[in-house]
């Protein structure tokens, strides 16, 4: 297999584009999920909130302003084909520069601060992003940006459950996380659940599944029943759209699992607000 | 739909009950974590703060930058709970209305009730929609904080819902109880 050259400057350009696209354009899958829940929501205030969110999405798309003032931490998932060579610059710099250009040119909010427990000084260009890179077969470079707002991220959690725990304990953890979060993470939520692996990989899985389209079933069919079960329980909590009561507390539960140590059962719950933003590009 | 004009009088606020949907018009100050920390520090140390809080409204919000031709960028609420440790002192200094999203702690609820102030919620994640209700925006203080500066904004028909009224009414408790079909536990 011949090595394919990809210019670093192209990576920068493409990342800048998907940063703005993700912040201006809510995906059709997320929009459809909001429209469907607007029809089934039992609370009048909840229906009002959902219809405002639907209108918000069309204003953002048409007028090219961010769906939400919190344009997030730029979380970037990279799948780098092993037959790709990046030329004309360093990969990490190209990614960082893409985020900087996207956030500055798109009038997106810059929310990153350095010295997080000290002066908390804004970096003024929303860098650095948080980048997760995976080497995969092939000669393509796939990049997904998932702007992650602080409100929902703050309500996320990770727990190290016991090996003897099962679907009920895992479900209870997710439901309790959502209950305690209430209206703060901007429901209706997409709930990412990472089950197994290790402390950090469970959290990573819980984040990455937030990029799965809402109309795509889980490719791991063994998790479909769990996702459905948790979704039903969460939607019985009564929290509703934006926490002001109702039957739509979450739109979807997305789970992923991975083998783990005989002593462990890590479970991470990553909450995503209704503004389920992500955009991807394949180079 | 009720109307609330800012700055609000005590009489205006007495009429409002948890669950009331409102259209707000008038002037409010934005402040989020960093501006709260600064104001709180100043007030605790007997120093002046750069805005007069008496009778005013604070909106927990840090906007995205205004593109050319717009008054403001996206401008929805941030999570109110993070301001909880600062709010009672700001209320003591006269803040009448606070606006954000999500539930708050018991001590904030009590401080609001005690001083006849109210907490409103608006639509989280609808920052593009809400930007249409903002007619003027300028930095009022702490300009070095950027998006976290205190902004003076004038709104017209800005939608909000009364979350905590001055009588102890709580929108979240009322509504969650109404729509909760169980404790969420599997056996229910």
């Amino acid at each position: 297999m011949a090595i394919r050259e990809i210019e670093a400057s192209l990576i920068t350009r493409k990342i800048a584009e998907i940063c703005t696209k993700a912040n201006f354009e809510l995906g059709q899958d997320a929009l459809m999920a909001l429209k469907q829940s607007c029809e089934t929501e039992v609370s009048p205030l909840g229906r009002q909130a959902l219809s405002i969110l639907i209108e918000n999405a069309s204003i953002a798309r048409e007028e090219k302003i961010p769906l939400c003032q919190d344009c997030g931490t730029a979380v970037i998932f990279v799948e780098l084909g092993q037959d790709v060579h990046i030329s004309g610059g360093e990969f990490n710099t190209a990614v960082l520069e893409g985020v900087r250009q996207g956030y500055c040119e798109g009038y997106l909010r810059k929310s990153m601060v350095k010295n997080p427990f000290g002066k908390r000084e804004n970096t003024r260009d929303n860098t650095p992003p948080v980048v997760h890179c995976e080497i995969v077969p092939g000669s393509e470079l796939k990049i997904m940006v998932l702007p992650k707002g602080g409100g929902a991220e703050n309500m996320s959690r990770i727990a190290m459950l016991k090996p003897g725990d099962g679907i009920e304990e895992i479900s209870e953890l997710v439901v309790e996380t959502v209950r305690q979060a209430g209206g703060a993470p901007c429901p209706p939520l997409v709930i990412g659940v990472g089950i197994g692996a290790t402390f950090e990989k469970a959290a990573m899985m819980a984040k990455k599944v937030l990029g799965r389209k809402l109309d795509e079933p889980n490719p791991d069919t063994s998790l479909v029943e769990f996702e459905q079960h948790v979704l039903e329980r969460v939607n019985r909590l009564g929290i509703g759209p934006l926490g002001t009561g109702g039957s739509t507390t979450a739109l979807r539960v997305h789970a992923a699992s991975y083998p783990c140590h005989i002593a462990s059962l890590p479970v991470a719950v990553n909450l995503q607000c209704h503004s389920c933003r992500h955009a991807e590009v394949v180079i | 739909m009720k109307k609330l004009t800012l700055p609000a009088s005590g009489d205006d606020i007495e009429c409002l009950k948890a669950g009331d949907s409102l259209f707000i018009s008038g002037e409010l100050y934005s402040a989020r974590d960093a501006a709260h920390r600064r104001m709180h520090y100043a007030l605790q140390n007997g120093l002046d703060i750069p805005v007069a809080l008496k009778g005013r409204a604070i909106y927990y919000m840090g906007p995205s930058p205004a593109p050319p031709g717009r008054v403001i960028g996206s401008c929805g609420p941030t999570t109110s709970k993070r301001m909880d440790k600062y709010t009672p002192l700001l209320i003591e200094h006269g803040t009448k209305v606070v606006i954000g999203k999500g539930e708050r702690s018991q001590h904030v609820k009590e401080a609001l009730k005690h001083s006849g102030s109210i907490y409103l919620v608006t639509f989280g994640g609808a920052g593009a929609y809400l930007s249409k209700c903002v007619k003027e925006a300028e930095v009022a203080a702490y300009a070095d904080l950027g998006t976290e500066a205190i902004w003076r904004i004038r709104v017209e028909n800005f939608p909000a819902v009364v979350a905590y009224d001055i009588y102890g009414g709580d929108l979240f408790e009322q509504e969650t109880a109404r729509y909760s079909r169980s404790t969420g536990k599997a056996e229910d």
Side-chain angles (χ1 to χ4, degrees):
Chain A
M1 173 64 90
I3 296 296
R4 181 172 167 233
E5 298 286 336
I6 295 180
E7 280 289 321
S9 60
L10 180 65
I11 295 171
T12 294
R13 222 35 251 154
K14 291 294 179 190
I15 288 183
E17 281 169 24
I18 58 175
C19 283
T20 52
K21 183 174 194 280
N23 274 289
F24 296 159
E25 299 175 18
L26 190 64
Q28 286 304 317
D29 56 326
L31 197 56
M32 276 311 294
L34 288 176
K35 285 181 178 168
Q36 279 161 5
S37 61
C38 199
E39 282 167 23
T40 56
E41 174 54 55
V42 294
S43 148
L45 191 50
R47 285 196 298 275
Q48 187 200 352
L50 290 165
S51 61
I52 284 178
L53 297 179
I54 293 162
E55 196 177 337
N56 185 68
S58 71
I59 294 170
R61 179 182 293 265
E62 281 160 25
E63 303 186 17
K64 295 198 180 304
I65 64 163
L67 286 150
C68 177
Q69 73 290 339
D70 184 352
C71 303
T73 298
V75 178
I76 296 180
F77 286 96
V78 177
E79 289 178 14
L80 176 63
Q82 66 181 32
D83 300 321
V84 170
H85 175 251
I86 291 151
S87 48
E90 199 212 325
F91 177 72
N92 292 325
T93 312
V95 172
L96 191 107
E97 183 58 19
V99 170
R100 195 189 68 75
Q101 289 181 12
Y103 275 74
C104 292
E105 290 165 9
Y107 293 89
L108 306 182
R109 197 180 80 182
K110 289 78 177 174
S111 307
M112 299 298 282
V113 293
K114 49 188 167 188
N115 304 315
F117 56 93
K119 287 175 77 178
R120 294 183 66 87
E121 197 185 338
N122 198 298
T123 63
R124 301 197 178 275
D125 57 9
N126 216 52
T127 66
V130 172
V131 184
H132 304 290
C133 200
E134 206 181 331
I135 309 283
V136 298
S139 58
E140 287 179 341
L141 173 61
K142 186 167 149 190
I143 304 170
M144 174 173 73
V145 61
L146 195 146
K148 193 68 176 71
E153 190 75 352
N154 283 346
M155 301 296 150
S156 303
R157 72 158 88 163
I158 187 160
M160 306 305 279
L161 300 185
K162 308 226 166 1
D165 289 340
I167 186 165
E168 276 320 307
E169 287 79 6
I170 298 172
S171 306
E172 189 57 31
L173 174 74
V174 181
V175 172
E176 216 23 58
T177 302
V178 174
R179 188 206 309 272
Q180 286 184 21
C186 284
L189 307 168
V190 176
I191 303 169
V193 188
I195 305 166
T198 47
F199 185 79
E200 84 288 2
K201 189 171 168 75
M204 243 264 288
M205 291 192 293
K207 171 72 69 346
K208 194 172 184 184
V209 291
L210 299 177
R212 203 175 94 206
K213 286 206 180 336
L214 303 195
D215 50 11
E216 265 174 25
N218 196 330
D220 182 349
T221 51
S222 69
L223 292 168
V224 172
E225 198 183 322
F226 165 78
E227 291 177 339
Q228 215 41 47
H229 170 73
V230 176
L231 183 63
E232 280 165 22
R233 283 186 59 184
V234 162
N235 282 334
R236 286 205 296 266
L237 289 170
I239 294 169
L242 305 177
T244 56
S247 53
T248 319
T249 301
L251 299 169
R252 297 289 185 278
V253 175
H254 285 180
S257 81
Y258 193 85
C260 70
H261 192 279
I262 49 173
S264 304
L265 177 52
V267 180
V269 185
N270 198 187
L271 299 186
Q272 168 65 54
C273 63
H274 58 73
S275 204
C276 188
R277 298 164 290 183
H278 46 84
E280 63 176 55
V281 62
V282 179
I283 302 175
Chain B
M1 196 73 106
K2 292 186 179 176
K3 300 241 176 199
L4 177 69
T5 305
L6 298 174
S9 72
D11 287 352
D12 295 337
I13 286 173
E14 277 175 26
C15 301
L16 300 176
K17 296 269 174 62
D20 286 349
S21 285
L22 304 178
F23 276 132
I24 305 172
S25 295
E27 203 176 83
L28 36 89
Y29 289 124
S30 78
R32 43 171 296 148
D33 306 70
H36 269 81
R37 197 166 46 189
R38 257 191 216 182
M39 286 194 284
H40 191 260
Y41 177 84
L43 292 172
Q44 267 193 325
N45 290 281
L47 305 168
D48 286 337
I49 56 167
V51 291
L53 297 178
K54 201 164 169 48
R56 309 306 290 237
I58 296 180
Y59 177 28
Y60 305 139
M61 185 276 293
S64 64
R70 295 190 84 96
V71 172
I72 198 166
S74 198
C75 57
T78 195
T79 305
S80 305
K81 207 175 183 62
R82 294 197 313 271
M83 297 345 128
D84 281 2
K85 74 186 225 196
Y86 311 115
T87 300
L89 187 61
L90 298 188
I91 290 172
E92 221 176 275
H93 282 78
T95 308
K96 269 298 185 205
V97 181
V98 283
I99 309 169
K101 66 162 164 133
E103 299 83 342
R104 314 203 60 172
S105 52
Q106 193 58 31
H107 77 276
V108 168
K109 241 164 115 169
E110 279 158 18
L112 288 163
K113 194 176 161 189
H114 180 74
S115 62
S117 302
I118 49 167
Y119 170 50
L120 313 178
V121 288
T122 185
F123 298 92
Y129 176 93
L130 293 172
S131 76
K132 299 278 201 186
C133 310
V134 176
K135 303 303 168 188
E136 289 168 28
E138 58 172 4
V139 172
Y142 302 155
D144 61 299
L145 294 178
T147 185
E148 292 209 81
I150 296 177
W151 295 71
R152 185 186 296 108
I153 68 176
R154 189 174 64 78
V155 296
E156 272 175 26
N157 293 324
F158 184 92
V161 184
V162 180
Y164 302 156
D165 60 33
I166 62 168
Y167 309 102
D170 178 334
L171 169 74
F172 301 105
E173 275 177 19
Q174 285 168 26
E175 296 300 298
T176 304
R178 178 173 302 166
Y179 295 109
S180 167
R181 280 180 287 146
S182 73
T183 59
K185 288 197 189 294
E187 60 271 23
D188 290 314

